[in-house]
Amino acid sequence: MKKILVTGGAGFIGSHTVVSLHNAGYEAVIVDDFSNSERFILDRLEQITGKAFKCYEADCADEAAMEKVFKEEKSFAGVIHFAAYKSVPESVADPLKYYSKNIGSLCVVLKLMKQYKVDNLIFSSSCTVYGQPDQYPVTEETPQKPANSPYGNTKKICEDILRDFVAINDLKTIALRYFNPIGAHPSGLIGELPKGVPTNLIPFITQTAIGIRGQLTVFGDDYNTPDGTNVRDFIDVNDLAQAHVKSIEYLSSLQDVKLFDTLNVGTGNGVTVLQVVKAFEKVNDLKLNYKIGPRRSGDVEAIYATVDKAEQKLKWSCVVPLEDSLKHAWNWEKALAVKK
Ligand code: NAD
Ligand code: WQD
């Protein structure tokens, strides 16, 4: 069984990817420091798959701790590096935390992959590398505007590090540029677990619907978009997880010894914030308490992906409709309420 190291495997996207890897016949080994996830997710993964996953509690920026993992596990067919802090406002308030941890973690992973001769790496990048593009949908070649936050800048820098590293080392790596991941596992056993007040749209919506938050504020309806609210490309987390499995398969199938590539991973559809709110109400048969508020500083007006490159290279495409993602996100929120 091919073993894949999944850093950040207890997190939102990582946990769904562990399930997808398992379903595709891979053995996932998790490293997580639980800085933004909960240990009960490991039990949930076992409930979903029937398998207890090996998990090392370690900080990926801690080289000695990570070396233990590589030494003990002996060999990996690949690494999927999710582990990173991801809060945009926190990165503005504490940029050094983001620059040191998120970039430091990637450097440690690369160093150990070289030392232990592991040659396939998938890196979690983001549509944030495009900033506010002049035109959309964006392709991988769309000129990048300045990042809107230190967090976004770490993703750009990490892509540069990968490019520079591959120039002088035998490594095959893909930076997957995720658009807006949403939804949850259909079982309702794993999903997004924001700490504190959510900044992302879908957890704010579900927490409002369940009564944890009083009201959702839609940040601005005076943009140059069909209904004045921002346009995003919301991709289901299970589809996104599957893109990682396909990426590992793709890298393993290549004869080349080195590769650095970037792939957009979205649906290819732009949807407005108000369309999401209305779809959430309809599909879950409820009324959401929301108001229109001022714009949020740093928000890009509109962005969505061209996904032809990922579809062709990975032989992958999205299958989960937005409505199902919104249903699953709501089921997950309700299940969390019962747990508490
Ligand atoms: P998440 O916070 O749910 O998961 C990240 C996991 O990594 C958490 O379990 C956290 O505890 C762990 N972690 C963080 N820093 C670590 C470290 N130094 N060492 C070990 N573990 C560490 O986030 P997510 O939404 O699953 O995001 C996964 C990756 O995808 C991140 O790199 C993120 O930047 C990127 N990304 C996320 C989004 C999004 O909107 N969710 C969009 C684009 C890119
Ligand atoms: C989506 C839309 C908000 C909350 C962020 C990061 C990006 C990437 C994905 C990691 C926007 C609107 C939101 C609310 C609202 N992450 N909104 N009321 O900003 O597109 O991207 O997550 O790489 O880097 O910046 O996602 O979910 O925060 O917002 O109206 O309470 O929902 O204005 O238009 P965003 P989001």
Side-chain angles (χ1 to χ4, degrees), residues 8 10-14 32-37 58-61 82-86 101 105 124-126 151 155 178-179 181:
F12 174 42
I13 308 168
D32 206 297
D33 66 359
F34 298 98
S35 54
N36 200 39
S37 52
D59 172 358
C60 294
F82 292 106
Y85 299 141
K86 65 163 182 180
K101 270 290 156 63
S105 292
S124 298
S125 190
S126 166
Y151 165 76
K155 294 298 182 193
Y178 314 154
F179 280 66

Short mmCIF file of all heavy atoms in Angstrom, two decimals, residues 8 10-14 32-37 58-61 82-86 101 105 124-126 151 155 178-179 181, ligand 1:
data_model
loop_
_atom_site.label_atom_id
_atom_site.label_comp_id
_atom_site.label_asym_id
_atom_site.label_seq_id
_atom_site.Cartn_x
_atom_site.Cartn_y
_atom_site.Cartn_z
N GLY A 8 -1.11 18.47 8.24
CA GLY A 8 -2.39 19.19 8.40
C GLY A 8 -3.57 18.28 8.12
O GLY A 8 -4.66 18.75 7.77
N ALA A 10 -5.53 16.68 10.00
CA ALA A 10 -6.72 16.75 10.87
C ALA A 10 -7.57 17.98 10.54
O ALA A 10 -8.64 18.16 11.11
CB ALA A 10 -6.28 16.80 12.34
N GLY A 11 -7.08 18.82 9.63
CA GLY A 11 -7.79 20.05 9.30
C GLY A 11 -8.94 19.82 8.32
O GLY A 11 -9.25 18.67 7.96
N PHE A 12 -9.53 20.92 7.88
CA PHE A 12 -10.73 20.87 7.03
C PHE A 12 -10.45 20.10 5.72
O PHE A 12 -11.04 19.04 5.46
CB PHE A 12 -11.18 22.31 6.77
CG PHE A 12 -12.32 22.48 5.80
CD1 PHE A 12 -13.42 21.63 5.82
CD2 PHE A 12 -12.30 23.52 4.87
CE1 PHE A 12 -14.48 21.80 4.92
CE2 PHE A 12 -13.35 23.71 3.98
CZ PHE A 12 -14.43 22.84 4.00
N ILE A 13 -9.54 20.60 4.92
CA ILE A 13 -9.30 19.96 3.61
C ILE A 13 -8.50 18.66 3.80
O ILE A 13 -8.77 17.65 3.15
CB ILE A 13 -8.58 20.93 2.66
CG1 ILE A 13 -9.32 22.27 2.58
CG2 ILE A 13 -8.47 20.31 1.26
CD1 ILE A 13 -8.56 23.39 1.90
N GLY A 14 -7.56 18.69 4.75
CA GLY A 14 -6.72 17.52 4.99
C GLY A 14 -7.53 16.30 5.40
O GLY A 14 -7.30 15.19 4.89
N ASP A 32 0.06 16.62 12.46
CA ASP A 32 -0.71 17.83 12.75
C ASP A 32 -0.32 18.31 14.14
O ASP A 32 -0.06 17.49 15.02
CB ASP A 32 -2.23 17.54 12.68
CG ASP A 32 -3.04 18.78 12.35
OD1 ASP A 32 -3.01 19.72 13.16
OD2 ASP A 32 -3.70 18.81 11.30
N ASP A 33 -0.27 19.62 14.33
CA ASP A 33 0.01 20.13 15.68
C ASP A 33 -1.28 20.56 16.39
O ASP A 33 -1.24 21.08 17.49
CB ASP A 33 1.02 21.30 15.63
CG ASP A 33 0.46 22.53 14.93
OD1 ASP A 33 -0.70 22.50 14.45
OD2 ASP A 33 1.18 23.54 14.88
N PHE A 34 -2.41 20.34 15.74
CA PHE A 34 -3.74 20.66 16.29
C PHE A 34 -3.87 22.13 16.69
O PHE A 34 -4.66 22.47 17.56
CB PHE A 34 -4.10 19.71 17.45
CG PHE A 34 -4.19 18.28 17.00
CD1 PHE A 34 -3.11 17.41 17.20
CD2 PHE A 34 -5.30 17.81 16.32
CE1 PHE A 34 -3.16 16.10 16.73
CE2 PHE A 34 -5.36 16.50 15.86
CZ PHE A 34 -4.29 15.65 16.06
N SER A 35 -3.11 22.98 16.02
CA SER A 35 -3.24 24.42 16.31
C SER A 35 -4.56 24.95 15.78
O SER A 35 -5.06 25.96 16.25
CB SER A 35 -2.07 25.19 15.69
OG SER A 35 -1.96 24.91 14.31
N ASN A 36 -5.12 24.27 14.77
CA ASN A 36 -6.42 24.73 14.24
C ASN A 36 -7.35 23.56 13.94
O ASN A 36 -8.12 23.59 12.99
CB ASN A 36 -6.20 25.58 12.98
CG ASN A 36 -7.40 26.45 12.68
OD1 ASN A 36 -8.02 26.99 13.60
ND2 ASN A 36 -7.77 26.56 11.42
N SER A 37 -7.24 22.51 14.75
CA SER A 37 -8.13 21.35 14.55
C SER A 37 -8.29 20.63 15.88
O SER A 37 -7.62 20.96 16.85
CB SER A 37 -7.56 20.42 13.48
OG SER A 37 -6.22 20.10 13.78
N ALA A 58 2.93 17.00 15.78
CA ALA A 58 4.20 17.72 15.60
C ALA A 58 3.97 18.99 14.80
O ALA A 58 3.03 19.08 14.00
CB ALA A 58 5.20 16.83 14.86
N ASP A 59 4.86 19.94 15.03
CA ASP A 59 4.87 21.19 14.27
C ASP A 59 5.78 20.97 13.05
O ASP A 59 6.94 20.60 13.21
CB ASP A 59 5.42 22.29 15.20
CG ASP A 59 5.65 23.61 14.49
OD1 ASP A 59 5.43 23.69 13.27
OD2 ASP A 59 6.07 24.56 15.18
N CYS A 60 5.25 21.19 11.87
CA CYS A 60 6.03 20.92 10.65
C CYS A 60 7.26 21.82 10.53
O CYS A 60 8.16 21.51 9.77
CB CYS A 60 5.16 21.09 9.40
SG CYS A 60 3.87 19.89 9.29
N ALA A 61 7.27 22.92 11.26
CA ALA A 61 8.44 23.80 11.20
C ALA A 61 9.55 23.32 12.14
O ALA A 61 10.65 23.86 12.14
CB ALA A 61 8.05 25.23 11.55
N PHE A 82 -0.55 20.30 3.63
CA PHE A 82 -1.64 21.23 3.94
C PHE A 82 -1.27 22.17 5.09
O PHE A 82 -1.83 23.26 5.19
CB PHE A 82 -2.89 20.47 4.40
CG PHE A 82 -3.58 19.65 3.35
CD1 PHE A 82 -3.47 18.26 3.35
CD2 PHE A 82 -4.36 20.25 2.38
CE1 PHE A 82 -4.12 17.50 2.40
CE2 PHE A 82 -5.02 19.50 1.43
CZ PHE A 82 -4.89 18.11 1.43
N ALA A 83 -0.42 21.68 6.00
CA ALA A 83 -0.24 22.37 7.28
C ALA A 83 0.19 23.83 7.09
O ALA A 83 1.26 24.09 6.53
CB ALA A 83 0.79 21.63 8.13
N ALA A 84 -0.64 24.74 7.53
CA ALA A 84 -0.33 26.17 7.49
C ALA A 84 -1.39 26.90 8.29
O ALA A 84 -2.53 26.44 8.39
CB ALA A 84 -0.32 26.68 6.05
N TYR A 85 -1.01 28.06 8.83
CA TYR A 85 -2.01 28.95 9.39
C TYR A 85 -2.71 29.62 8.22
O TYR A 85 -2.08 29.92 7.21
CB TYR A 85 -1.36 30.01 10.27
CG TYR A 85 -0.59 29.46 11.46
CD1 TYR A 85 0.61 30.04 11.86
CD2 TYR A 85 -1.09 28.39 12.18
CE1 TYR A 85 1.31 29.55 12.96
CE2 TYR A 85 -0.39 27.90 13.28
CZ TYR A 85 0.81 28.48 13.66
OH TYR A 85 1.50 28.00 14.74
N LYS A 86 -4.02 29.90 8.39
CA LYS A 86 -4.76 30.37 7.20
C LYS A 86 -5.65 31.58 7.42
O LYS A 86 -6.49 31.89 6.57
CB LYS A 86 -5.60 29.22 6.64
CG LYS A 86 -6.70 28.75 7.57
CD LYS A 86 -7.76 27.93 6.86
CE LYS A 86 -8.87 27.51 7.79
NZ LYS A 86 -9.92 26.73 7.18
N LYS A 101 6.25 30.46 10.30
CA LYS A 101 5.68 29.10 10.37
C LYS A 101 5.34 28.53 8.99
O LYS A 101 5.73 27.42 8.66
CB LYS A 101 4.43 29.09 11.25
CG LYS A 101 4.71 28.81 12.71
CD LYS A 101 5.13 27.39 12.96
CE LYS A 101 5.94 27.17 14.22
NZ LYS A 101 5.34 27.45 15.48
N SER A 105 7.78 25.77 7.57
CA SER A 105 7.27 24.39 7.44
C SER A 105 7.60 23.82 6.07
O SER A 105 8.05 22.68 5.95
CB SER A 105 5.76 24.35 7.61
OG SER A 105 5.40 24.67 8.91
N SER A 124 -0.46 23.08 -0.91
CA SER A 124 -1.72 23.83 -0.85
C SER A 124 -1.47 25.30 -1.15
O SER A 124 -1.06 26.05 -0.26
CB SER A 124 -2.32 23.76 0.56
OG SER A 124 -2.62 22.46 0.93
N SER A 125 -1.71 25.71 -2.38
CA SER A 125 -1.65 27.12 -2.68
C SER A 125 -3.08 27.67 -2.74
O SER A 125 -4.02 26.98 -2.29
CB SER A 125 -0.88 27.37 -3.98
OG SER A 125 -0.65 28.76 -4.14
N SER A 126 -3.23 28.85 -3.27
CA SER A 126 -4.54 29.51 -3.14
C SER A 126 -4.75 30.49 -4.28
O SER A 126 -3.79 31.07 -4.82
CB SER A 126 -4.54 30.27 -1.80
OG SER A 126 -5.60 31.17 -1.74
N TYR A 151 -0.64 36.55 4.65
CA TYR A 151 -1.00 35.15 4.37
C TYR A 151 -0.88 34.86 2.87
O TYR A 151 -0.25 33.89 2.45
CB TYR A 151 -2.44 34.85 4.86
CG TYR A 151 -2.98 33.57 4.27
CD1 TYR A 151 -2.57 32.34 4.75
CD2 TYR A 151 -3.88 33.60 3.18
CE1 TYR A 151 -3.03 31.16 4.18
CE2 TYR A 151 -4.35 32.44 2.62
CZ TYR A 151 -3.93 31.21 3.11
OH TYR A 151 -4.38 30.04 2.53
N LYS A 155 1.86 32.33 0.33
CA LYS A 155 1.56 31.35 -0.73
C LYS A 155 2.38 31.66 -1.97
O LYS A 155 2.90 30.76 -2.63
CB LYS A 155 0.06 31.34 -1.05
CG LYS A 155 -0.82 30.84 0.08
CD LYS A 155 -0.53 29.41 0.47
CE LYS A 155 -1.44 28.87 1.56
NZ LYS A 155 -0.97 27.61 2.14
N TYR A 178 -6.24 26.49 -4.70
CA TYR A 178 -7.65 26.29 -4.36
C TYR A 178 -8.39 27.61 -4.49
O TYR A 178 -7.90 28.65 -4.06
CB TYR A 178 -7.85 25.83 -2.92
CG TYR A 178 -6.95 24.73 -2.41
CD1 TYR A 178 -6.68 24.64 -1.04
CD2 TYR A 178 -6.39 23.77 -3.25
CE1 TYR A 178 -5.88 23.64 -0.52
CE2 TYR A 178 -5.58 22.76 -2.73
CZ TYR A 178 -5.32 22.71 -1.38
OH TYR A 178 -4.53 21.73 -0.85
N PHE A 179 -9.64 27.52 -4.93
CA PHE A 179 -10.50 28.70 -4.88
C PHE A 179 -11.22 28.68 -3.52
O PHE A 179 -10.55 28.58 -2.51
CB PHE A 179 -11.36 28.78 -6.16
CG PHE A 179 -10.50 29.35 -7.28
CD1 PHE A 179 -9.40 28.65 -7.77
CD2 PHE A 179 -10.71 30.63 -7.75
CE1 PHE A 179 -8.53 29.21 -8.71
CE2 PHE A 179 -9.84 31.21 -8.69
CZ PHE A 179 -8.75 30.49 -9.17
N PRO A 181 -13.00 26.67 -0.87
CA PRO A 181 -13.49 25.35 -0.48
C PRO A 181 -14.65 25.46 0.52
O PRO A 181 -14.56 26.23 1.48
CB PRO A 181 -12.28 24.69 0.20
CG PRO A 181 -11.12 25.59 -0.04
CD PRO A 181 -11.67 26.97 -0.28
P1 NAD B 1 -7.21 24.05 8.51
O1 NAD B 1 -6.72 25.08 9.46
O2 NAD B 1 -8.54 23.45 8.75
O3 NAD B 1 -6.15 22.86 8.42
C1 NAD B 1 -4.79 23.06 8.56
C2 NAD B 1 -4.28 22.01 9.54
O4 NAD B 1 -2.87 22.17 9.69
C3 NAD B 1 -4.89 22.16 10.92
O5 NAD B 1 -5.27 20.88 11.38
C4 NAD B 1 -3.77 22.74 11.77
O6 NAD B 1 -3.84 22.31 13.11
C5 NAD B 1 -2.54 22.20 11.06
N1 NAD B 1 -1.34 23.02 11.15
C6 NAD B 1 -1.22 24.37 10.93
N2 NAD B 1 0.07 24.74 11.05
C7 NAD B 1 0.78 23.62 11.36
C8 NAD B 1 2.14 23.34 11.60
N3 NAD B 1 3.06 24.31 11.57
N4 NAD B 1 2.50 22.08 11.87
C9 NAD B 1 1.59 21.09 11.92
N5 NAD B 1 0.28 21.28 11.69
C10 NAD B 1 -0.12 22.52 11.42
O7 NAD B 1 -7.11 24.69 7.06
P2 NAD B 1 -7.66 24.16 5.67
O8 NAD B 1 -8.80 25.01 5.28
O9 NAD B 1 -7.84 22.68 5.72
O10 NAD B 1 -6.44 24.56 4.74
C11 NAD B 1 -5.44 23.61 4.40
C12 NAD B 1 -4.43 24.30 3.51
O11 NAD B 1 -5.08 24.85 2.36
C13 NAD B 1 -3.69 25.48 4.15
O12 NAD B 1 -2.37 25.49 3.67
C14 NAD B 1 -4.43 26.68 3.63
O13 NAD B 1 -3.62 27.82 3.60
C15 NAD B 1 -4.78 26.22 2.23
N6 NAD B 1 -5.95 26.90 1.65
C16 NAD B 1 -7.13 26.92 2.33
C17 NAD B 1 -8.22 27.56 1.78
C18 NAD B 1 -9.52 27.66 2.53
O14 NAD B 1 -10.30 28.57 2.25
N7 NAD B 1 -9.82 26.75 3.47
C19 NAD B 1 -8.12 28.15 0.52
C20 NAD B 1 -6.90 28.09 -0.15
C21 NAD B 1 -5.82 27.45 0.42
#
